[in-house]
């Protein structure tokens, strides 16, 4: 049994690189997903994941499958869509969720169209679903840098982020940090989605943010523990998904997200904080 787990990572360099990349994504994306969930912005993350596609596609048209070009393009597109959706919701009668939905649909259609103009079906699949088993040194360095910057930024912004989740009105009454914190947080969301895009593609990148975060909510109500649990769940999902892909010959990206989904289902059923089993039988025999 141990050989099934150890051998793929010990003998194959592409599995080692994929493992390092997934760990980096889990370290940065897990805590971001927790705050997205607590701020009721889970679907915002999904919309932003698709918003980066046109920028990445423009980078692809200009320089091919170039890491710098697609990264810069994705970052610019994500920031533009976030700002545009905010301005639409601020100056019109349309709410932010509706404006994000509109931009999300337009971004997805535009991005797929741009990639199709030059690339083959293989290139389109690369953009949509990523190539986690083909990460090079530059991509791993990018993922590690994004993860490090995210952890440092969250450490600095932890208090205002938590306050904004719990009582945003109180935060606005005692400090002017609310708006800058929100904008920096959206920037971190875009950065982590761009990093996840290179490994898992635009359609699956948000999965490593939201599924571990949602699963962690069923095990603890403490935000710090929730962040740690989401990182751990993301890492476990990444390892199990890579092993599933290796042994059963499944696409690696979808296998990782399916593994995260399995952990979410397990947590939904057995989690101590609102799991279905604990809600159905809340008696003392289930208490620690």
């Amino acid at each position: 049994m141990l050989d099934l787990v150890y051998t793929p990572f010990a003998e194959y360099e592409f599995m080692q690189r994929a493992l390092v990349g997934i760990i980096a994504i889990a370290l940065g994306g897990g805590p971001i997903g927790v705050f997205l969930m607590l701020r009721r912005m889970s679907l915002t993350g999904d919309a932003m994941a698709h918003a980066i596609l046109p920028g990445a596609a423009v980078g692809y048209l200009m320089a091919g499958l170039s890491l710098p070009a697609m990264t810069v393009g994705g970052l610019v597109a994500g920031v533009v869509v976030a700002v545009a959706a905010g301005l639409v919701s601020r100056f019109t009668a349309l709410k932010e969720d509706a404006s994000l939905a509109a931009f999300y649909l337009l971004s997805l259609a535009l991005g797929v169209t741009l990639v199709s103009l030059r690339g083959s079906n293989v290139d389109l699949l690369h953009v949509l679903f990523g190539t986690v088993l083909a990460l090079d040194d530059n991509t791993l360095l990018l993922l590690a840098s994004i993860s490090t910057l995210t952890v440092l930024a969250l450490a600095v912004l932890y208090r205002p982020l938590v306050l904004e989740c719990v009582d945003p009105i109180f935060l606005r009454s005692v400090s002017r940090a609310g708006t800058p914190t929100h904008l920096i947080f959206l920037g971190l969301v875009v950065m982590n989605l761009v990093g996840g895009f290179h490994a898992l593609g635009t359609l699956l990148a948000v999965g490593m943010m939201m599924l571990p975060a949602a699963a962690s909510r069923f095990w603890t109500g403490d935000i710090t523990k929730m962040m740690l649990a989401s990182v751990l769940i993301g890492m476990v999902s990444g390892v199990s998904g890579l092993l599933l892909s290796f042994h059963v010959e499944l696409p690696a990206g979808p296998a990782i997200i399916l593994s995260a989904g399995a952990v979410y289902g397990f947590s939904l059923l057995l989690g101590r904080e609102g799991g279905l089993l604990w809600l159905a039988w809340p008696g003392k025999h289930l208490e620690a």
Side-chain angles (χ1 to χ4, degrees), residues 48-97:
M48 295 303 298
H50 294 84
I52 67 176
L53 182 56
V58 170
Y60 168 74
L61 289 176
M62 295 177 62
L65 294 174
S66 166
L67 178 65
M70 295 179 72
T71 299
V72 172
L75 285 172
V76 171
V79 171
V80 167
V81 168
V83 172
L87 291 175
V88 169
S89 63
R90 185 179 181 88
F91 294 109
T92 71
L94 201 64
K95 299 297 183 182
E96 188 173 16
D97 60 338

Side-chain angles (χ1 to χ4, degrees), residues 44-196:
T44 300
D46 186 52
M48 295 303 298
H50 294 84
I52 67 176
L53 182 56
V58 170
Y60 168 74
L61 289 176
M62 295 177 62
L65 294 174
S66 166
L67 178 65
M70 295 179 72
T71 299
V72 172
L75 285 172
V76 171
V79 171
V80 167
V81 168
V83 172
L87 291 175
V88 169
S89 63
R90 185 179 181 88
F91 294 109
T92 71
L94 201 64
K95 299 297 183 182
E96 188 173 16
D97 60 338
S99 61
L100 273 173
F103 281 110
Y104 140 66
L105 293 170
L106 291 172
S107 298
L108 180 61
L110 179 61
V112 171
T113 301
L114 289 174
V115 175
S116 300
L117 288 177
R118 171 175 169 176
S120 64
N121 290 335
V122 174
D123 294 327
L124 183 59
L125 289 175
H126 169 89
V127 171
L128 294 179
F129 299 105
T131 53
V132 68
L133 295 180
L135 300 178
D136 57 20
D137 291 341
N138 291 331
T139 305
L140 290 178
L141 182 60
L142 173 68
L143 295 177
S145 300
I146 290 174
S147 176
T148 302
L149 182 60
T150 299
V151 172
L152 292 175
L154 290 179
V156 174
L157 298 174
Y158 183 78
R159 283 180 177 270
L161 279 173
V162 172
L163 275 176
E164 195 173 27
C165 293
V166 176
D167 194 344
I169 297 176
F170 174 75
L171 178 62
R172 286 197 295 268
S173 68
V174 299
S175 173
R176 296 182 179 179
T179 299
T181 298
H182 182 71
L183 293 176
I184 294 173
F185 176 72
L186 287 179
L188 293 175
V189 172
V190 173
M191 284 176 53
N192 280 272
L193 287 173
V194 169

Side-chain angles (χ1 to χ4, degrees), residues 222-244:
D222 181 87
I223 295 179
T224 302
K225 293 179 180 178
M226 210 181 298
M227 293 167 64
L228 294 174
S230 67
V231 171
L232 178 61
I233 291 171
M235 291 181 179
V236 171
S237 301
V239 172
S240 58
L242 289 173
L243 290 173
L244 183 65

